[in-house]
Amino acid sequence: MSVQPQVGTLNDAELWRELGQQLRVDSIRCAAVPKSGHPTSSMSAADLMAVLLAKYLRYDFDQPEDPRNDHLIFSKGHASPLLYSIYKAVGAVSDEELLTFRKFGARLEGHPTPKIPWVDVATGSLGQGLPIAVGVALAGKKLDRLPYNVWCLCGDSELAEGSMWEAFEHAAFAGLDNLIAILDINRLGQRGETMHGWDLASYTRRAEASGWAAIEIDGHDVGAIDRAYEEALSITGRPTVIVARTIKGKGVEAVENQPGQHGKALDDPEGSIAELGGERSIVVDVRKPEGDAQPHTFETSSLELPTYESGKDVATRKAYGDALLALGKGRGDVVALDGEVSNSTHADEFAKEIPERYFEMYIAEQQLVAAAVGLQVRGWTPFASTFAAFFSRAYDFVRMAAISRANIRLSGSHAGVSIGEDGPSQMALEDLAAFRAVHGSTVLYPCDANQTAKLVAAMADLDGISFIRTTRGATPVIYDAGEDFPVGGAKVVREGDDVTLVGAGITLHEALKAADALAQQGTSARVIDLYSLKPIDGDTLREAVEATRGRIVVVEDHWPEGGLGEAVLAALAGTELQFAHLAVREMPGSGTPAELLAAAGIDADAIAAAARKLVSAAAVAH
Amino acid sequence: MSVQPQVGTLNDAELWRELGQQLRVDSIRCAAVPKSGHPTSSMSAADLMAVLLAKYLRYDFDQPEDPRNDHLIFSKGHASPLLYSIYKAVGAVSDEELLTFRKFGARLEGHPTPKIPWVDVATGSLGQGLPIAVGVALAGKKLDRLPYNVWCLCGDSELAEGSMWEAFEHAAFAGLDNLIAILDINRLGQRGETMHGWDLASYTRRAEASGWAAIEIDGHDVGAIDRAYEEALSITGRPTVIVARTIKGKGVEAVENQPGQHGKALDDPEGSIAELGGERSIVVDVRKPEGDAQPHTFETSSLELPTYESGKDVATRKAYGDALLALGKGRGDVVALDGEVSNSTHADEFAKEIPERYFEMYIAEQQLVAAAVGLQVRGWTPFASTFAAFFSRAYDFVRMAAISRANIRLSGSHAGVSIGEDGPSQMALEDLAAFRAVHGSTVLYPCDANQTAKLVAAMADLDGISFIRTTRGATPVIYDAGEDFPVGGAKVVREGDDVTLVGAGITLHEALKAADALAQQGTSARVIDLYSLKPIDGDTLREAVEATRGRIVVVEDHWPEGGLGEAVLAALAGTELQFAHLAVREMPGSGTPAELLAAAGIDADAIAAAARKLVSAAAVAH
């Protein structure tokens, strides 16, 4: 059965209702092929999207890169059947392609990703779309200075995620009246009712308390939806949330408002489609953005990286701040964000001198990373910083950013036991493992200020997720300012042929001290600065172990798992080695950096002892 | 200068004020020794704590394990000088020990940890104390059924963390009138003013919108503090938040309400102490809990683990649910939590049959893990489950749980590309790396239902953080129900001497199929089931590579970093190997499990091909 309404004869409300039914029908159809997906979660929001599409969205589907386009983000990414049905309704995707949903190799995946040109970011881990939308809206208001709007469809289950309320807070604080959140309050989560069911006021109260305008509507009343969007666009100075009471599975009695119908194709797609009035083929001519405004660009001067004199003591976190400022001065696309610790990460240098491209994200690391992802959607080059330990708070956002093919740069300061007195809660000891295990990531760990500056500059042009780990304490500058540090490289800091010592960051300096001590005893240690953990310079490592008869000591201010030690073993996989791995193996406490490095067995003495053991064991063996 | 007020001659208010000054003085004194720490953040909350201590707290400092004790959690862990000054004021810590603050080896670390007997959990990563306090309060109300109160001191900066609002939501939803949050609104964060400064109403509105009772007070007016606590204790059916306007650095003009004074010892401790009226030595006799109530215990029957017939297809996630239910029936200390996906993780079996020990945490993974930590504070044995990918949302909570020396058990389902059509947002591909890099963790990855049941039972008695990764799809039962699977072990599933194949979970089955294919071609493959990634059975691995002439193929449904491959390399560090590592190296999309395993190059064909290559390379070499 197929109904083809005479679109020309319908009034607006009739058209919207028909379009809503079409989106439902198509959501059911595409889930019917793989027999999986989330049609009922799509059906609840169909009317909300129909009116948006037909009247309010400004988007050129032929030019998804047009900077004037609105943004439509499905925070409830599992409603992908609805999103893909929208793409069909606007003529961007054929009916044939719609039915490739969830097929191997298809771009219409189970949850949206930017393999689809009209998708800004991957969603599917709930609670991330709205914080990212905040980032896009920040870009619109503060950077691009273009009048596009950011529309974000949210589910009610995901409103239990604290990250959503970080976004509510931040959007209101930043006055983002270009952001409209649409809450699809269909009452039912995956396994039952949400905390608040259809108590719309529970959401409205909290949104208003955060400073948003809130409009409660029946999410299936197209007239009410129309009025809500119109009102939302008229509100200035603050974001608007439309709190819509909807019915999950709306329109098909067998699943409508029923528990146990989440994330399943409908049992009887044909009957359900008939119940909805059959297939339609309405094509919506979405209005294109108007005017010829172009994104704002920022004036810049020349890019002059900071340089440091050899032998001076400079913390790499300070060099990060200096280099970030230099990049910001030299490149108008570079923007900075920090999680309320900019006086520790040294992002404050950028904040003070380039406030118009600095975003204070307060102590909300999920929003910090999400904002960075949102800013890069619009082509900006974000650097986000906090203590390395606290990026663990945003690990799911980093994971998803990789699926978003996002280009973001993260700087984590205060790594390892070498921070000293503050104790383990502030010590990143798992960050290298966590960041290495992010798809396509780059993981850098400089030991000196000149190296840091060069690596920070390189990060600006890296794709994907890049992470730089900096050190709290001041360390000697060991490299000339002219030296280059390619990403994926390693430096032989000292030649030697008895044993190889591999360190990075703080432990590189300990390794150098150990090499001095060993030299005095006649042992010649090669010292390798493994400043690039991923990609890793396997050639330099292989040469070293060959030159030092397989003897290698790897030392890291990190737990033993997933950091330098395992990265080196992976790079040398299968090579016969006399391998010593010095890492933090017991829970540290407070103390001076020197005490804690010694207690963890990762200081110069421990390195020299491990090296001696390898050399003397070999001597005994021969 | 030292003032010794005649405590006996003071009225309550005078005593509280003196005690507040003492706490300030002692906070300054202990930070003065290491010349670091957070005295100003301590001074703002001193009066709030003085009144609590002197009149409301019920705690036997000689018996910190007394189940009737109240709980005092410093969510703002950096106010540790205040907490330690409290311990001195109650006579639990000597003045001498107070001055060991931040010293190497001292238990009075930069941020509190449970090395101190009166500290329930480590704090210092902001935004965690309140969610954990929710867990303790849940234990009090639903499990222990004891009238203790949970007092939680929170900073204002940390109210930007979404996790705090997960806690607000959940506490109100659960009606936790035994929870009192004290917000120390001192206006100033680390690097400047918070979003809301002294706008107390911005907090009050949001807390009330979440369903809390809220009381705004001047946090330095001891009478107002007294009345607020009294009122808070009288409120039933919902938690209370005391929103206190305070002054950072209160009492010392040089730092009072000044920016740039966060996290620093005072420049002039002696002058500052004089300004506060000098040292005091008030000792507060904190009231002990009354009555002789004992924690509730739950009736149990015998513990009968589920068993499965060899050859049947059973998902390990289903076996998790079955085993969890069996444990719950057999052990009254076992409790379960889930993040709104219990029908996928199969925790719903427990939820249905043992609802009084099941906690639905909705889609709030930080609160999920925090609640588990809170429940174990009171000696319960929590198992928390969600999709393995979504534990990345709570990674900072897991990291901190290790510092808390917490005993929690986490079950992550739907791991790897083998989940199929849902796509990468739902696929845990970094979880093994992340969990291995948690101090003292146990990481398990069973391949069959009988093995899963045994490992789940073992987890109940493990210390620290244990993680079990389960698989979405049904896989054949390959082990007899009687077989044992020690944590830290590995199974040689098939003997062989040409090549070793190492898999776990889904890839173990692929490895077995590969071994079959290889056998038909005359290649004898040893297959190892590496169900325990951490601790790892190095002996079994070493025997295998010796027996198979160093040829080893490791195959995992995980990114290449930090999972099976690197765990094996670390266990065999230095051994000469012909090593092939099959892992997920490109971003997956949707597809059937078989398509995705094949595309990632981790299916039986890929394993057999890799093994053949090793064997034939060796043949050529010889």
Coordinates of all heavy atoms in Angstrom, one line a residue, chain A residues 356-390:
Chain A
E356 N 39.8 36.4 22.7 CA 38.7 36.1 21.8 C 38.7 34.7 21.2 O 37.7 34.3 20.7 CB 38.7 37.2 20.7 CG 39.8 37.2 19.8 CD 41.1 38.0 20.3 OE1 41.2 38.2 21.5 OE2 42.0 38.3 19.4
R357 N 39.8 34.0 21.4 CA 39.9 32.7 20.9 C 40.2 31.7 22.0 O 40.6 30.6 21.8 CB 41.0 32.5 19.8 CG 40.5 33.0 18.4 CD 41.5 32.8 17.4 NE 42.5 33.9 17.3 CZ 43.8 33.7 17.1 NH1 44.3 32.5 16.9 NH2 44.6 34.7 17.0
Y358 N 39.9 32.1 23.2 CA 40.1 31.2 24.4 C 38.8 30.9 25.0 O 37.9 31.8 25.2 CB 41.0 31.9 25.4 CG 41.1 31.1 26.7 CD1 42.0 30.0 26.7 CD2 40.4 31.4 27.8 CE1 42.1 29.2 27.9 CE2 40.5 30.6 29.0 CZ 41.3 29.5 29.0 OH 41.4 28.8 30.1
F359 N 38.6 29.7 25.4 CA 37.3 29.2 26.0 C 37.6 28.6 27.4 O 38.2 27.5 27.5 CB 36.6 28.2 25.1 CG 36.3 28.8 23.7 CD1 37.2 28.8 22.7 CD2 35.1 29.4 23.6 CE1 36.9 29.3 21.5 CE2 34.7 30.0 22.3 CZ 35.7 30.0 21.3
E360 N 37.1 29.2 28.4 CA 37.3 28.7 29.7 C 36.1 27.7 29.9 O 34.9 28.1 29.9 CB 37.2 29.8 30.8 CG 37.2 29.4 32.2 CD 38.4 28.5 32.5 OE1 39.5 29.0 32.4 OE2 38.2 27.3 32.9
M361 N 36.4 26.4 30.2 CA 35.4 25.4 30.3 C 35.1 25.0 31.7 O 34.3 24.1 31.9 CB 35.7 24.2 29.4 CG 36.0 24.5 27.9 SD 34.7 25.6 27.1 CE 33.3 24.5 27.1
Y362 N 35.8 25.6 32.7 CA 35.6 25.3 34.1 C 35.9 23.8 34.3 O 36.4 23.1 33.4 CB 34.2 25.7 34.5 CG 34.0 27.3 34.4 CD1 33.6 27.8 33.2 CD2 34.5 28.1 35.4 CE1 33.5 29.2 33.1 CE2 34.4 29.5 35.3 CZ 34.0 30.0 34.1 OH 33.9 31.4 33.9
I363 N 35.5 23.3 35.5 CA 35.9 22.0 35.8 C 34.9 21.0 35.3 O 34.0 20.5 36.0 CB 36.2 21.8 37.3 CG1 37.2 22.8 37.8 CG2 36.6 20.4 37.7 CD1 37.7 22.7 39.2
A364 N 34.9 20.8 34.0 CA 33.9 20.0 33.3 C 34.6 19.4 32.1 O 34.5 19.9 31.0 CB 32.7 20.9 32.9
E365 N 35.4 18.4 32.4 CA 36.3 17.9 31.3 C 35.6 17.2 30.2 O 36.1 17.2 29.0 CB 37.3 16.8 31.9 CG 38.3 17.4 32.9 CD 37.7 17.7 34.3 OE1 36.6 17.2 34.6 OE2 38.4 18.3 35.2
Q366 N 34.4 16.7 30.4 CA 33.6 16.2 29.3 C 33.2 17.3 28.4 O 33.4 17.2 27.1 CB 32.4 15.4 29.8 CG 32.7 14.2 30.7 CD 31.5 13.4 31.1 OE1 31.1 12.5 30.5 NE2 30.9 13.8 32.2
Q367 N 32.7 18.4 28.9 CA 32.4 19.5 28.1 C 33.6 20.1 27.5 O 33.5 20.6 26.3 CB 31.6 20.6 29.0 CG 31.2 21.8 28.2 CD 30.3 21.5 27.1 OE1 29.1 21.2 27.3 NE2 30.8 21.6 25.8
L368 N 34.7 20.1 28.1 CA 36.0 20.6 27.6 C 36.3 19.9 26.3 O 36.6 20.5 25.2 CB 37.1 20.4 28.6 CG 38.6 20.6 28.2 CD1 38.8 22.1 28.0 CD2 39.5 20.1 29.2
V369 N 36.3 18.6 26.3 CA 36.7 17.8 25.1 C 35.5 17.9 24.1 O 35.8 18.1 22.9 CB 36.9 16.3 25.4 CG1 37.1 15.5 24.2 CG2 38.2 16.2 26.3
A370 N 34.3 17.9 24.5 CA 33.2 18.0 23.6 C 33.2 19.4 22.9 O 32.9 19.5 21.7 CB 31.9 17.9 24.3
A371 N 33.5 20.4 23.6 CA 33.6 21.7 22.9 C 34.7 21.8 21.9 O 34.5 22.3 20.8 CB 33.8 22.8 24.0
A372 N 35.8 21.1 22.2 CA 36.9 21.0 21.2 C 36.4 20.3 20.0 O 36.7 20.8 18.8 CB 38.1 20.3 21.8
V373 N 35.7 19.2 20.2 CA 35.1 18.5 19.0 C 34.2 19.4 18.2 O 34.2 19.4 17.0 CB 34.4 17.2 19.5 CG1 33.7 16.5 18.3 CG2 35.5 16.2 20.1
G374 N 33.4 20.1 18.9 CA 32.4 21.0 18.3 C 33.1 22.1 17.5 O 32.7 22.5 16.4
L375 N 34.1 22.7 18.0 CA 34.9 23.8 17.4 C 35.5 23.3 16.1 O 35.5 24.0 15.1 CB 35.9 24.4 18.3 CG 35.4 25.1 19.6 CD1 36.5 25.5 20.5 CD2 34.5 26.3 19.2
Q376 N 36.1 22.0 16.1 CA 36.7 21.5 14.9 C 35.7 21.1 13.8 O 36.1 21.0 12.7 CB 37.7 20.4 15.3 CG 37.1 19.1 15.8 CD 36.6 18.2 14.7 OE1 37.3 18.0 13.7 NE2 35.4 17.7 14.9
V377 N 34.5 20.9 14.2 CA 33.4 20.7 13.2 C 33.4 21.8 12.2 O 33.3 21.7 11.0 CB 32.0 20.6 13.9 CG1 30.9 20.8 12.9 CG2 31.9 19.2 14.6
R378 N 33.7 23.0 12.7 CA 33.7 24.2 11.9 C 35.1 24.6 11.4 O 35.3 25.7 10.9 CB 33.0 25.4 12.6 CG 31.5 25.3 12.6 CD 30.9 25.6 11.3 NE 31.5 26.8 10.7 CZ 32.2 26.8 9.6 NH1 32.4 25.8 8.8 NH2 32.8 27.9 9.2
G379 N 36.0 23.7 11.5 CA 37.3 23.9 10.9 C 38.3 24.6 11.8 O 39.4 24.9 11.3
W380 N 38.0 24.9 13.0 CA 38.9 25.5 13.9 C 39.9 24.5 14.4 O 39.6 23.3 14.3 CB 38.2 26.3 15.0 CG 37.3 27.3 14.5 CD1 36.0 27.2 14.2 CD2 37.7 28.7 14.1 NE1 35.5 28.4 13.6 CE2 36.5 29.3 13.6 CE3 38.9 29.4 14.1 CZ2 36.6 30.6 13.1 CZ3 38.9 30.7 13.6 CH2 37.8 31.3 13.1
T381 N 41.0 24.9 14.9 CA 42.1 24.0 15.4 C 42.2 24.1 16.9 O 43.0 24.9 17.4 CB 43.4 24.5 14.7 OG1 43.2 24.4 13.2 CG2 44.5 23.5 15.0
P382 N 41.5 23.3 17.6 CA 41.4 23.5 19.1 C 42.6 22.7 19.8 O 42.9 21.6 19.4 CB 40.1 22.9 19.5 CG 39.8 21.9 18.4 CD 40.4 22.4 17.1
F383 N 43.1 23.4 20.8 CA 44.0 22.7 21.8 C 43.3 22.8 23.1 O 43.0 23.9 23.6 CB 45.3 23.5 21.9 CG 46.3 23.3 20.8 CD1 46.1 23.9 19.5 CD2 47.4 22.5 21.0 CE1 47.0 23.6 18.5 CE2 48.3 22.2 19.9 CZ 48.1 22.8 18.7
A384 N 43.1 21.7 23.8 CA 42.4 21.7 25.1 C 43.3 21.1 26.1 O 44.0 20.1 25.9 CB 41.1 20.8 25.0
S385 N 43.4 21.8 27.3 CA 44.3 21.3 28.3 C 43.7 21.2 29.6 O 42.7 21.8 30.0 CB 45.5 22.3 28.4 OG 45.0 23.7 28.5
T386 N 44.2 20.2 30.4 CA 43.9 20.1 31.8 C 45.0 19.2 32.4 O 46.0 18.9 31.7 CB 42.5 19.5 32.1 OG1 42.3 19.5 33.5 CG2 42.3 18.1 31.6
F387 N 44.9 18.8 33.7 CA 45.9 17.8 34.2 C 45.7 16.5 33.4 O 44.5 16.2 33.1 CB 45.6 17.6 35.7 CG 46.1 18.6 36.6 CD1 46.3 19.9 36.2 CD2 46.3 18.3 38.0 CE1 46.7 20.9 37.1 CE2 46.7 19.3 38.9 CZ 46.9 20.6 38.5
A388 N 46.7 15.9 33.1 CA 46.6 14.6 32.3 C 45.7 13.6 33.0 O 44.9 12.9 32.3 CB 48.0 14.0 32.1
A389 N 45.7 13.6 34.3 CA 44.9 12.6 35.0 C 43.4 12.9 34.8 O 42.6 12.0 34.7 CB 45.1 12.7 36.5
F390 N 43.0 14.2 34.5 CA 41.6 14.5 34.5 C 41.0 14.3 33.1 O 39.8 14.4 32.9 CB 41.4 15.9 35.0 CG 41.8 16.1 36.4 CD1 42.4 17.3 36.9 CD2 41.8 15.0 37.3 CE1 42.8 17.4 38.2 CE2 42.2 15.1 38.6 CZ 42.7 16.3 39.1

